[in-house]
Amino acid sequence: MVMHARSGGDIEVMGLMLGKIVGQTMVVLDAFALPVEGSETKVNAQQESYEYMVQYLERSQAVGRREHVIGWYHSHPGYGCWLSGIDVSTQRLNQKYQDPFLAVVIDPKRTMSAGKVDLGAFRAFPEEQQPSSNVGADSDEIQNVPLHKIEDFGVHSSKYYSLDVGYFKSSLDKQLLERLWRKHWISTISQSPLITNSGYITQKMVEIADKVSYCGKDGKKSASLEQVLRESDAIADEITQGHRSNRLKAKLFTEA
């Protein structure tokens, strides 16, 4: 899913997840991309995508795969893991007709910058259910939301809730990862995160400056100083980690 999200660049991409339910846990075992037309702000499945989905599932069942569709995923390149108004509507529709169903959002740019997968899993509250004021999406996620999307985040953040996410790998996954590492370890070590992620870091600095200009102002686009400081600390930590990585590589491979 992360590789698919990265392939989209600044354009949102979308796919479906296959898996099973074990007790109270939704276990995702596989995923496949959908041929959708996305933009830098939204992604919607069209008729072609639904036809592709049906054909994929029919062929999977024909070869003996028992996993069912248990959710959908899409990317938010550079602006955090949360659900927009369209995402909430899509998730509610899926939960209504094919529950249990899961929504996953991936930020490929922050994944590359932080060096770890930035992923969120969500479920929507039913329309007839009014959650309490202290239940809903994680308000700390606003620190990753650009100024022009804060309003959309704030309006819909109480309509869904986040889920705990865990990762596991099978013996086959371990073998595949080992082969990939043996093939790409040189390029991985030689890359500098400060250069690779320079565009994303610059973008985040601009967004922080915009948010500072709105601090203390009334309106849905305003952000608190505390939230801006947390976002600044996160970017500073990533830059510091990049410098440490470069110094470590210099000591290991260039200094006598």
Side-chain angles (χ1 to χ4, degrees), residues 217-223:
K217 295 182 179 180
D218 294 331
K220 295 180 179 179
K221 286 188 175 182
S222 63

Side-chain angles (χ1 to χ4, degrees), residues 68-89:
H68 300 284
V69 175
I70 62 169
W72 67 295
Y73 71 89
H74 70 288
S75 62
H76 278 184
Y79 49 94
C81 300
W82 49 282
L83 297 185
S84 66
I86 295 177
D87 299 338
V88 171
S89 298

Side-chain angles (χ1 to χ4, degrees), residues 6 14-15 64 73 93 113 121 123 130 135 139 143 160 176 178 235:
R6 280 201 65 197
M14 178 181 173
Y73 71 89
L93 186 65
S113 178
R123 296 257 303 165
Q130 295 295 329
V135 177
S139 60
Q143 69 186 47
Y160 62 94
L176 289 173
E178 288 177 350
I235 293 297

